[in-house]
Structures are given as C-alpha cells and as structure tokens.
Amino acid sequence: MSTGTLLAIIIPIVVVLALIAVAAALLTRRRHLRERFGPEYERTVEDAESRPAGSWTTRAFFNRFLRT
C-alpha cells in the first residue's frame, strides 16, 4: 500500500476515535452532574440556552461554592 492510501485510512479512523472519546467524556461529565445535583441540574439546563451552557453553569457553581 502506498503512503497516501495508508494516510487516507488512518486519518479518518483517528478522527472518529477522537470524536468518540470527546462524546464519551461529555456524557460522563453530564451524568456525573446529573447524579450530583439531581433536579437542580435539570432545572439549570432547562433555563439555560443550551445543554452545554447549563452544564457549564452547574459546573461553575460547584467549583465556586461547593469546593473548599
């Protein structure tokens, strides 16, 4: 196989694996926040413009007020 063919196979595989890793990290973080804050997390997400914004708000609150 030529170098170009190998790159055409390897690069998309690496990109897909990276996307899967990022998605898994986001889902894990979201699950952790939901378990930790329960209904408050759901309310914050509903009030926010988007789910990432609600997650960020909840995470920021946790970092600011609950960690000592």
Side-chain angles (χ1 to χ4, degrees):
M1 288 186 152
S2 70
T3 304
T5 304
L6 286 175
L7 288 176
I9 294 170
I10 293 172
I11 290 175
I13 290 173
V14 170
V15 169
V16 168
L17 291 175
L19 290 173
I20 290 171
V22 169
L26 291 174
L27 289 174
T28 301
R29 181 180 302 151
R30 188 176 302 154
R31 186 179 312 120
H32 173 71
L33 289 170
R34 193 177 311 124
E35 289 171 358
R36 174 121 172 111
F37 296 103
E40 183 62 30
Y41 171 75
E42 295 299 329
R43 251 190 316 277
T44 303
V45 169
E46 288 175 6
D47 292 344
E49 295 176 6
S50 64
R51 182 169 290 278
S55 293
W56 183 87
T57 302
T58 305
R59 216 171 28 254
F61 173 81
F62 174 73
N63 288 334
R64 190 175 328 125
F65 294 109
L66 299 179
R67 284 196 175 170
T68 55

